[in-house]
Amino acid sequence: MKALLSRQPGGPETLELTEVDAPTPGKGELAVRVLACAINYPDVLIIEDKYQMRPPRPFAPGAEFAGEVVAVGEGVERWTAGDRLIAVTGFGGLAEQIVVDAQRAFRLPEGVDPVEGSALLMTYATTIHALKDRGELSQGQKLLVLGAAGGVGLAAVEIGKAMGARVVAAVSSEEKAEAARAAGADETLIYGRAPFAKDESKALSAAFKEAVGPSGADVIYDPVGGDYCEPALRSIAWEGRYLVVGFPAGIPKLPLNLTLLKSCDVRGVFWGGFVMRDPRRNAEHVEQLIRWWQDGTISPRIDRTYPLQEGGAAIRRLAERKAVGKVVVTLG
């Protein structure tokens, strides 16, 4: 079978399309033919050895995928060959076949697009955990979403609306603002490209405050980090919750006096850790996401698809922040 492998640390150009042996499922595992593999920011980092998980080389990046069961390991009962599923493994998805723990797989509903299915778990499951469990977002509250045209950003817009919030979407271009509005954002804000000088940071803070209104944002969803963080935090409401999701713009440093003045919380969102500690609640979240997906409440936006041999270009598109929605590599 073919796999796109990382043999040495580096950018997308270092990935090699190679023939490897097909995997065999062990006890409790499924061997799966990959139909589509969605690209996420950890894929940018993991091939450069900049992610918290460093799998032994050679390995295929690609953390989430949709596929079809081709073989069932010992002790697996509820899956049979031909069943379709979605799953997150951390890496290995940019290959024609992969082995996955059967307990970490979710059934793909009949008749749905596996390309969209491949883009459901990491972004939407991260976001429903963030907004429900960490952000405690409730009906009528105000949600500010940074990077609102990326995969997790659009998920936050859609789930925020599903939870009854008023959503302000912050993006870097009018094209991305249109995507956020199409996803349901009540208001959009276009910001510049970091790094920011002191006066630019103050201007961005003022723009955030104007966008969310005098009472501030009850929840701020930040998958961006960098120089956007402090200006956004200055727009938070009294006892608001600032959700730390990711750092493609860099890891920020916050003046903690701001948290005192607003009596607000800065809360980390580590979906992978949550899945390991509370798989039952995560499964409940995924069931809710699938119901929303089937009734049209949420709809993964696919920016572009690439064949396996162009998987490096897919990762590069995400790294360069050109994607509006999710980038997906198709293998079916």
Side-chain angles (χ1 to χ4, degrees), residues 3-18:
L4 193 65
L5 298 183
S6 173
R7 295 189 181 278
Q8 60 185 6
E13 71 283 352
T14 64
L15 298 176
E16 299 178 16
L17 188 65
T18 308

Side-chain angles (χ1 to χ4, degrees), residues 126-137 218-219 221 240-245 265-271 274 281 285:
T126 294
T127 302
I128 192 172
H129 166 57
L131 297 184
K132 280 195 168 190
D133 303 326
R134 305 298 292 142
E136 301 176 81
L137 184 67
D218 299 287
V219 176
Y221 185 88
R241 285 81 66 202
Y242 195 105
L243 304 181
V244 180
V245 182
D265 296 344
V266 177
R267 302 182 180 182
V269 178
F270 181 19
W271 176 66
F274 165 70
R281 183 158 175 78
H285 286 346

Side-chain angles (χ1 to χ4, degrees), residues 270-291:
F270 181 19
W271 176 66
F274 165 70
V275 172
M276 295 297 292
R277 288 166 173 80
D278 197 347
R280 180 194 58 80
R281 183 158 175 78
N282 177 65
E284 291 174 356
H285 286 346
V286 174
E287 289 171 5
Q288 176 65 77
L289 293 174
I290 289 173
R291 288 195 296 271

Side-chain angles (χ1 to χ4, degrees), residues 141-208:
Q141 290 191 328
K142 197 167 295 180
L143 170 65
L144 171 62
V145 180
L146 308 189
V152 288
L154 286 171
V157 172
E158 291 183 317
I159 293 175
K161 292 304 298 179
M163 294 175 66
R166 178 170 180 80
V167 178
V168 178
V171 295
S172 60
S173 70
E174 178 55 35
E175 177 193 8
K176 293 180 177 181
E178 289 179 9
R181 287 191 289 267
D186 298 288
E187 189 172 345
T188 58
L189 163 69
I190 298 175
Y191 46 48
R193 193 73 178 256
F196 299 126
K198 187 174 181 179
D199 59 337
E200 293 172 319
S201 182
K202 288 183 66 175
L204 180 57
S205 176
F208 281 137

Side-chain angles (χ1 to χ4, degrees), residues 19 89 108 135 140 148 150 167 228 243 253 281 324 327 331:
E19 287 285 341
T89 55
L108 194 64
V167 178
Y228 302 91
L243 304 181
K253 295 181 179 179
R281 183 158 175 78
V324 180
V327 177
L331 296 93

Side-chain angles (χ1 to χ4, degrees), residues 30-110:
L30 303 168
V32 179
R33 179 169 68 92
V34 178
L35 300 174
C37 177
I39 303 302
N40 297 276
Y41 197 70
D43 297 317
V44 177
L45 301 177
I46 199 169
I47 62 174
E48 297 179 352
D49 280 356
K50 294 179 180 178
Y51 195 54
Q52 58 257 38
M53 176 178 60
R54 295 186 179 183
R57 286 189 166 84
F59 70 89
E64 66 172 338
F65 62 90
E68 182 177 285
V69 176
V70 295
V72 177
E74 179 187 349
V76 176
E77 296 181 352
R78 67 186 188 95
W79 295 97
T80 59
D83 289 344
R84 289 191 168 190
L85 57 78
I86 52 177
V88 172
T89 55
F91 63 95
L94 290 182
E96 291 180 327
Q97 289 190 30
I98 188 173
V99 163
V100 62
D101 183 340
Q103 294 186 358
R104 300 186 66 177
F106 297 91
R107 200 170 297 275
L108 194 64
E110 288 288 334

